[in-house]
Amino acid sequence: MFYRASLQATAVVASLSLLAGCGLLSDSGSEAEQKIVVGTTSEPSTLDPAAAWDNSWELMRNVFQTLVSFPTGSTKPEPDAAEWCKFTDLTSTAYRCKLREGLKFSNGEKLDAEAVKYSIDRITELDVKGGPVGMLGSLDRVETVGDDTVVFHLSKPDATFPFILATPAMSLVAPSAYSKHKVRNDGQVTGSGPYLLDSYKPGNRSELVKNPDYDGFANRKNGAVTIRYFKESAPMVSALKKDEIDAIYRGLTAEEVVSLQDNKDKNSNLQLVETVGADIRFLVFNPEDPAAGNVAVRRAIAQLVDRDALVAKVYQGTAEPLYSMVPKGIAGHTTSFFDAYGDPDKAKAGEILLKAGITEPVALTFWFTTDRYGSSTAPEFAELKRQLEASGLFRITLKSKPWKEFQEGFTKGEYPVFGRGWFPDFPDPDNFIAPFVGKESVTGMPYLKKEITEQVLPQTRKESDRGAVSKQFERAQQILVEDVRLLPLWQGKLYVAAGEDIGGGERALDPQTVMQMWEFYRKASW
């Protein structure tokens, strides 16, 4: 989702956790009573799930429950507040969930079927601009059956609906504490998650304590978590070195990551784990622009962009080249752009333009935002400019604006070419294709492609076995290659670095790349 990409984190690293051995133990010193202090630049914009389609999910995953969730290692949603959930028809239009017995919210209120219905209905009734209501486009109505069963009736087949229910945006809230008429903004949370929000100081910290009444999938390995919010990474790293915090996630630059890797021998108490991330960066071409609207121009750019050089020079190996809108690690991933264009080739790009009758260097303006994807965005676009102009086939002008102004510009169709990022709502190929096509594409550029919107997506959404739809999504990716309306550039990597005495770092990120605080524990005190 683009809103989640509003993290103050860098465009380089989707997530990084650094764990030092500054032990904060209770008197008992047991694993379950340990307190972990985490630093991050990913501060929530809201504590109300009905308004959250951004980095606020990080906190929400730890203080709310959803009916289903993504435990570490899972490839599909698993029960959380629900005892079980399943489609009850062959067309994926009726999804039924039975709740666990005895669930209750932190205020003592019963978490029953009516509370679930209230929580989901509230999202659509509030209809918060920029909120998660757009994720519920296939939902027709929510029905309760007794106190413990909920049925979601969909207006059209949608096998991705369980994935949507697993996002923190669909968190369950206590009806008495959350109005259907306004977003809650009193700095408090009334949920049923693994932790209770003991206190919250905007721009400073969140204090989480273990919820004694929690009943869900999370196996909590510590007793409490303090999340400290930093504006910049430098003071956060300084706090880590001074043993003021135990961990860092989201916010370190590529240089800081590389420095940690290079100095690993000097920091023998540090362990670093690297995994493939699902956040992607790409270029968007405006079909109404005289130059960018010419498919030959777009194909020539696709033939010239050197992704290997881009990630090596700008991201120093903390990202990797991306040749499809569906990234590595997601079912159905292909290398379709590489298959079509191969290695960067100036001669082939020139031939593409010449066949289209273009004999002079093409002038284009590339736009990017200055404050959404991190400090490496400007160097990234400088490298793209260098590559294209080195061919002699293009003259590139670079322009930028802060996110709010940048967003206003691309939604009005003012930019010929611009850079965007995407953090997935859920780990399914649908979430890397559907948002970018159709009249209401989240890029701000309508992309009407009937084969995708009227054939591929409807067909795949009828299939609850997501592993059986790879061929359809491979075809969708091939269509994107033919049109080059979007040009994938790179996908991020995820890092978890930990002190030798810290366990759980390898399990702390769920498949949505949301931090599961309960996985961290200290192996031993001293």
Side-chain angles (χ1 to χ4, degrees):
M1 76 200 110
F2 288 119
Y3 296 103
R4 283 191 62 208
S6 64
L7 308 178
Q8 296 172 1
T10 74
V12 180
V13 185
S15 183
L16 175 66
S17 296
L18 277 171
L19 307 179
C22 52
L24 294 175
L25 302 178
S26 69
D27 292 338
S28 69
S30 67
E31 285 183 2
E33 298 303 322
Q34 294 171 1
K35 182 175 184 179
I36 301 294
V37 183
V38 179
T40 179
T41 58
S42 179
E43 182 182 359
S45 64
T46 177
L47 301 186
D48 190 332
W53 201 358
D54 60 10
N55 51 298
S56 304
W57 286 12
E58 301 283 5
L59 177 61
M60 290 175 185
R61 172 59 74 212
N62 293 276
V63 296
F64 289 106
Q65 275 185 292
T66 45
L67 286 170
V68 289
S69 191
F70 283 103
T72 299
S74 64
T75 57
K76 61 181 181 180
E78 302 289 346
D80 186 5
E83 182 179 318
W84 54 260
C85 289
K86 64 182 179 180
F87 280 106
T88 57
D89 64 340
L90 298 177
T91 58
S92 299
T93 57
Y95 192 67
R96 180 180 292 253
C97 294
K98 182 179 179 181
L99 293 170
R100 296 175 186 262
E101 292 184 8
L103 293 179
K104 62 180 180 179
F105 294 104
S106 56
N107 63 354
E109 191 172 348
K110 187 177 180 180
L111 199 173
D112 57 11
E114 283 296 336
V116 173
K117 174 177 170 58
Y118 183 94
S119 298
I120 304 303
D121 285 348
R122 180 173 178 267
I123 296 172
T124 58
E125 291 188 30
L126 279 176
D127 193 15
V128 177
K129 184 178 181 180
V133 65
M135 300 174 68
L136 294 173
S138 64
L139 179 62
D140 179 35
R141 60 188 175 88
V142 184
E143 175 192 8
T144 60
V145 181
D147 290 338
D148 63 355
T149 303
V150 182
V151 183
F152 298 92
H153 296 278
L154 309 182
S155 58
K156 53 188 175 183
D158 188 359
T160 70
F161 190 74
F163 292 79
I164 294 168
L165 285 183
T167 67
M170 303 299 142
S171 294
L172 306 178
V173 299
S176 66
Y178 291 83
S179 168
K180 279 191 176 182
H181 307 294
K182 63 180 180 179
V183 173
R184 184 174 180 179
N185 58 7
D186 61 357
Q188 298 183 33
V189 161
T190 310
S192 59
Y195 298 98
L196 305 176
L197 182 61
D198 190 52
S199 67
Y200 173 65
K201 297 180 180 178
N204 188 301
R205 68 185 62 210
S206 292
E207 296 286 355
L208 310 184
V209 297
K210 187 182 291 187
N211 179 1
D213 297 317
Y214 172 69
D215 183 11
F217 77 92
N219 177 19
R220 295 164 296 180
K221 298 175 182 177
N222 57 64
V225 177
T226 296
I227 306 175
R228 288 185 54 188
Y229 303 116
F230 293 83
K231 300 273 184 202
E232 305 291 340
S233 64
M236 184 166 61
V237 173
S238 177
L240 179 70
K241 292 179 178 178
K242 293 177 183 177
D243 288 346
E244 295 173 353
I245 59 176
D246 293 303
I248 296 175
Y249 80 98
R250 297 207 191 279
L252 299 187
T253 65
E255 291 77 13
E256 289 165 332
V257 175
V258 172
S259 176
L260 289 166
Q261 292 171 327
D262 292 344
N263 293 318
K264 190 173 181 181
D265 292 339
K266 297 179 181 178
N267 296 281
S268 58
N269 64 332
L270 186 68
Q271 54 179 307
L272 188 66
V273 179
E274 175 187 303
T275 59
V276 175
D279 66 308
I280 66 174
R281 297 294 184 274
F282 54 95
L283 295 178
V284 182
F285 295 94
N286 186 343
E288 301 302 321
D289 180 79
N294 187 328
V295 68
V297 171
R298 303 196 298 267
R299 289 174 178 170
I301 292 174
Q303 185 65 70
L304 288 171
V305 169
D306 188 338
R307 296 168 176 82
D308 287 324
L310 182 67
V311 299
K313 292 181 179 181
V314 180
Y315 297 111
Q316 302 179 56
T318 59
E320 59 183 301
L322 179 64
Y323 295 95
S324 167
M325 291 300 289
V326 178
K328 183 188 297 185
I330 300 296
H333 164 72
T334 69
T335 55
S336 49
F337 271 90
F338 184 81
D339 298 340
Y341 294 97
D343 293 322
D345 192 311
K346 171 185 173 180
K348 289 182 179 179
E351 290 175 8
I352 292 171
L353 293 175
L354 190 60
K355 287 182 180 179
I358 300 173
T359 58
E360 297 293 327
V362 179
L364 276 172
T365 300
F366 280 34
W367 284 83
F368 62 92
T369 181
T370 58
D371 59 352
R372 192 173 180 86
Y373 304 126
S375 59
S376 295
T377 305
E380 173 182 344
F381 275 77
E383 172 62 14
L384 290 171
K385 171 183 169 71
R386 185 198 68 76
Q387 291 181 11
L388 296 177
E389 291 189 338
S391 71
L393 302 174
F394 289 90
R395 288 187 289 108
I396 306 298
T397 299
L398 299 181
K399 292 187 178 182
S400 61
K401 288 182 178 181
W403 173 253
K404 186 176 181 180
E405 297 175 48
F406 178 76
Q407 185 179 35
E408 291 174 354
F410 72 69
T411 55
K412 294 178 181 178
E414 295 178 355
Y415 308 148
V417 186
F418 56 97
R420 296 301 306 269
W422 181 251
F423 285 74
D425 298 315
F426 48 85
D428 186 89
D430 186 283
N431 200 232
F432 291 91
I433 299 293
F436 309 120
V437 295
K439 186 176 181 180
E440 301 297 330
S441 165
V442 292
T443 65
M445 300 285 104
Y447 184 8
L448 305 178
K449 203 67 182 181
K450 289 186 176 181
E451 185 176 350
I452 296 178
T453 58
E454 297 182 9
Q455 296 180 40
V456 173
L457 294 177
Q459 289 172 5
T460 58
R461 287 175 177 175
K462 292 178 182 178
E463 179 57 69
S464 58
D465 179 3
R466 304 308 290 163
V469 296
S470 294
K471 291 296 182 181
Q472 292 95 322
F473 282 112
E474 288 175 10
R475 172 56 188 157
Q477 291 169 81
Q478 184 58 40
I479 293 171
L480 297 184
V481 170
E482 294 166 1
D483 293 345
V484 201
R485 288 281 302 276
L486 309 165
L487 183 64
L489 298 174
W490 57 267
Q491 71 180 96
K493 294 180 180 180
L494 304 178
Y495 294 87
V496 174
E500 293 295 331
D501 66 321
I502 296 294
E506 72 284 355
R507 296 182 55 83
L509 290 166
D510 74 6
Q512 296 169 302
T513 70
V514 174
M515 188 64 71
Q516 301 178 140
M517 299 297 181
W518 57 82
E519 293 289 356
F520 291 121
Y521 65 93
R522 204 175 315 283
K523 297 176 183 178
S525 59
W526 63 91

